[in-house]
Amino acid sequence: MEVVNDSTCSWINDLTPRSNIQTLSSDLDCEWLIIGAGYTGLSAARKLGQLYPNQKILLVDAQLAGEGASSRNSGYLVDTTLNDGFTSNKELENYKKKADIYKLGIETVKKFIKEYQVDCDWNECGKYFASSKSEDKDILENFSETLSQLGFEHNLLFKEDLTKRLGTNFYNIALHTKGGILLHPGKLVRAMIDTLPENVKIYENTPLLNWKKVNSTINCNFKIGSVKTKKIIFATNGFLKSLGIKRNYNFPITLTASMTRPLTNDEFKLIGEPKEWGVLPVRPMGATVRFTKDRRILIRNTAEVHNPYKMVQSDLKKRSILQKIGIKKRFPQLPDDIIQSTWSGIVSRTRNSSQLFEKIDENIFVAGCYNGSGIGVGTLFGEQIAIKASNEQTKEIETIEARSKPTWLPPQPFLNLGIKARLIYERLRARSEI
Ligand SMILES: Cc1cc2nc3c(=O)[nH]c(=O)nc-3n(C[C@H](O)[C@H](O)[C@H](O)COP(=O)(O)OP(=O)(O)OC[C@H]3O[C@@H](n4cnc5c(N)ncnc54)[C@H](O)[C@@H]3O)c2cc1C
């Protein structure tokens, strides 16, 4: 499976290009090897670097570090979710276990930001679960009940209030949660790269082609060169399945998003000069929409099984048209052609929305599958899988492992047929919200 991305993601293009990129070109050996340099892999590498200052730790990515989903997401660091992709979690006890993990995720990112004085446009402004359909009140009232029982501050809002806060009269009802942070995902992951401990050596544009355990050594073959390692952590998220990891427990989904240019002063006035905000849909396949601190609008309104994962420009163009319509529906007063970029990214899902956090064989570990909540959970899981791989136990690991494990998935072609049917159904249910 080739891992290549488009170069049209605004979050990435906001940053200064990195120099000093090193690619593996020889045969090496090491104590620790981490595959995948997103939030999970970077966080694992940072922790191992701190735990073992005298050991050799290698971190490898198929593309430029951090430029997978970790830079391509919508930037919601969530404390609560209403939907996990296209599944809802209704049982209180399960919901609490999930929210406990989110809380630890936020704390882990917060600790990192504080320790390294990271500027990633951090804004503790909460988030809205919003709908244009007044009949979605029932769903929000049920959700409100769950949040009240677990002590999450929130309030229900209606059209007039929402129009003032968001600058669009598209939404008729929303539940605002006070918790949850909006941030610039590209800046966050870049800071994780820039602050890696010195004993972590990073190789980029270095795809892992295959791997094999022989006695107590894991042999990994890359496009050029190979690595023999004592311990390995797989942090490739949407690409776990293609590396044969937990093959029957996770599957990739391709998402696309678009971002506008910053609104001009006049356009900003036209929409009522709102503060930064983030909306998540009430219906699973509805649009995620953000208004950023620098007055750009982000919209993500597709999720699909796409083969190959990477989208060519013509495919992106089609999704971009859908996103232009989504923006126009919400902001008819804005000009037509304000979208500046459209990109795709790969997330990983499991059947029951639980994440992967496991030792899969002696000295072989995996962490991943966070669907739309990988900023906090990925950062947490990376750190904690490094600790687990060091045979240590923490309260965080107990919390992570208290959640049920991912459940078994049917083989192909039944799996893809099932996912596609479900996505079509959810897309129909959410057609007004796209
Ligand atoms: C459009 C979009 C919107 C999202 N919105 C949000 C959001 O608002 N909030 C949120 O919390 N989450 C969101 N997510 C999900 C979030 O981005 C992911 O959960 C998170 O980035 C996962 O981090 P990771 O490090 O596990 O994986 P990734 O960031 O995917 O990193 C995995 C890395 O592995 C590398 N890799 C893959 N195969 C190989 C190989 N064979 N050899 C070497 N390297 C390999 C890849 O190149 C990649 O860099 C969104 C995702 C997308 C795409």
Side-chain angles (χ1 to χ4, degrees):
M1 169 64 60
E2 220 190 337
V3 186
V4 199
N5 272 302
D6 55 78
S7 55
T8 48
C9 174
S10 286
W11 296 125
I12 297 173
N13 295 337
D14 286 346
L15 308 173
T16 317
R18 287 175 44 241
S19 54
N20 252 344
I21 310 294
Q22 298 213 21
T23 299
L24 183 72
S25 57
S26 57
D27 299 332
L28 301 176
D29 47 45
C30 62
E31 267 98 6
W32 296 92
L33 175 63
I34 301 151
I35 310 292
Y39 301 125
T40 308
L42 287 160
S43 194
R46 189 171 58 254
K47 193 71 209 174
L48 289 175
Q50 291 161 353
L51 290 174
Y52 304 101
N54 299 319
Q55 293 192 3
K56 198 164 160 192
I57 300 156
L58 304 186
L59 171 61
V60 173
D61 201 290
Q63 54 187 321
L64 291 180
E67 296 201 3
S70 292
S71 279
R72 295 166 176 272
N73 61 71
S74 308
Y76 293 66
L77 174 53
V78 294
D79 61 335
T80 50
T81 48
L82 172 54
N83 302 300
D84 265 328
F86 46 86
T87 59
S88 299
N89 211 331
K90 293 187 185 103
E91 261 179 66
L92 190 67
E93 202 193 322
N94 282 340
Y95 195 90
K96 182 172 171 350
K97 285 182 184 168
K98 180 171 78 165
D100 287 346
I101 293 177
Y102 290 161
K103 182 165 177 264
L104 290 176
I106 293 179
E107 281 166 12
T108 312
V109 179
K110 225 173 188 167
K111 201 173 96 215
F112 170 73
I113 303 283
K114 205 168 157 209
E115 192 172 340
Y116 296 94
Q117 296 290 301
V118 175
D119 170 14
C120 60
D121 301 344
W122 182 273
N123 187 350
E124 296 186 11
C125 58
K127 61 195 174 318
Y128 298 84
F129 296 95
S131 175
S132 73
K133 297 273 180 208
S134 299
E135 62 262 35
D136 285 349
K137 191 168 175 220
D138 288 350
I139 301 176
L140 290 179
E141 280 176 348
N142 280 338
F143 186 43
S144 166
E145 177 108 12
T146 303
L147 296 182
S148 298
Q149 281 173 298
L150 296 176
F152 288 102
E153 255 187 80
H154 65 279
N155 53 327
L156 270 178
L157 297 160
F158 297 91
K159 188 167 188 134
E160 204 181 324
D161 232 348
L162 290 169
T163 306
K164 271 193 224 131
R165 288 172 181 231
L166 309 180
T168 163
N169 62 10
F170 178 77
Y171 297 104
N172 275 304
I173 184 160
L175 184 148
H176 180 256
T177 63
K178 196 158 176 261
I181 292 113
L182 293 178
L183 53 76
H184 188 305
K187 288 187 185 175
L188 176 64
V189 76
R190 175 63 65 86
M192 290 182 179
I193 298 166
D194 290 345
T195 57
L196 277 174
E198 277 189 2
N199 58 326
V200 174
K201 178 98 186 127
I202 180 161
Y203 291 103
E204 301 171 69
N205 297 321
T206 299
L208 172 65
L209 302 181
N210 53 62
W211 61 281
K212 196 170 177 191
K213 188 166 179 227
V214 181
N215 302 323
S216 58
T217 305
I218 301 130
N219 298 334
C220 295
N221 292 314
F222 295 88
K223 208 165 177 180
I224 308 173
S226 68
V227 175
K228 286 188 195 319
T229 182
K230 289 188 181 138
K231 291 197 178 189
I232 190 166
I233 295 176
F234 286 99
T236 53
N237 203 40
F239 300 90
L240 287 170
K241 197 180 170 86
S242 57
L243 284 172
I245 315 286
K246 301 292 288 181
R247 189 186 284 279
N248 292 323
Y249 294 86
N250 71 100
F251 59 92
I253 293 276
T254 302
L255 310 181
T256 62
S258 287
M259 181 105 87
T260 68
R261 58 164 172 73
L263 300 190
T264 62
N265 286 341
D266 287 346
E267 289 162 355
F268 184 48
K269 273 191 196 130
L270 266 180
I271 67 163
E273 304 181 285
K275 292 196 182 124
E276 181 175 22
W277 53 260
V279 160
L280 292 168
V282 172
R283 302 191 183 200
M285 288 289 282
T288 296
V289 188
R290 251 187 87 170
F291 185 64
T292 66
K293 161 181 151 173
D294 61 357
R295 302 180 189 172
R296 292 184 287 182
I297 299 165
L298 172 141
I299 179 163
R300 187 207 60 73
N301 61 6
T302 74
E304 58 197 293
V305 177
H306 195 272
N307 204 354
Y309 302 171
K310 175 188 161 30
M311 281 201 187
V312 292
Q313 280 304 315
S314 54
D315 283 346
L316 277 177
K317 185 93 196 133
K318 286 183 202 146
R319 275 81 186 162
S320 178
I321 291 168
L322 206 64
Q323 283 146 9
K324 178 173 157 181
I325 295 168
I327 293 177
K328 204 68 196 162
K329 268 204 300 207
R330 289 161 177 85
F331 300 99
Q333 63 275 54
L334 295 180
D336 281 350
D337 291 313
I338 52 171
I339 288 184
Q340 196 165 53
S341 69
T342 303
W343 64 91
S344 66
I346 317 296
V347 294
S348 181
R349 285 210 38 92
T350 57
R351 185 174 187 166
N352 59 352
S353 297
S354 282
Q355 302 96 353
L356 280 172
F357 182 86
E358 271 179 53
K359 173 178 174 175
I360 52 172
D361 195 350
E362 207 47 40
N363 298 330
I364 304 179
F365 298 83
V366 57
C369 301
Y370 321 112
N371 187 39
S373 52
I375 301 178
V377 184
T379 308
L380 168 74
F381 275 38
E383 187 178 288
Q384 296 300 320
I385 201 74
I387 297 173
K388 186 177 169 78
S390 308
N391 296 319
E392 299 290 333
Q393 182 66 9
T394 60
K395 278 209 268 339
E396 287 84 350
I397 294 178
E398 272 171 34
T399 306
I400 293 168
E401 293 183 340
R403 218 180 160 198
S404 39
K405 288 194 169 188
T407 41
W408 186 82
L409 289 161
Q412 298 293 8
F414 307 104
L415 176 63
N416 273 2
L417 285 172
I419 302 167
K420 282 181 182 169
R422 184 64 195 258
L423 288 171
I424 290 169
Y425 166 75
E426 294 292 355
R427 208 173 291 139
L428 278 171
R429 271 197 65 225
R431 61 186 178 281
S432 59
E433 309 305 302
I434 292 170

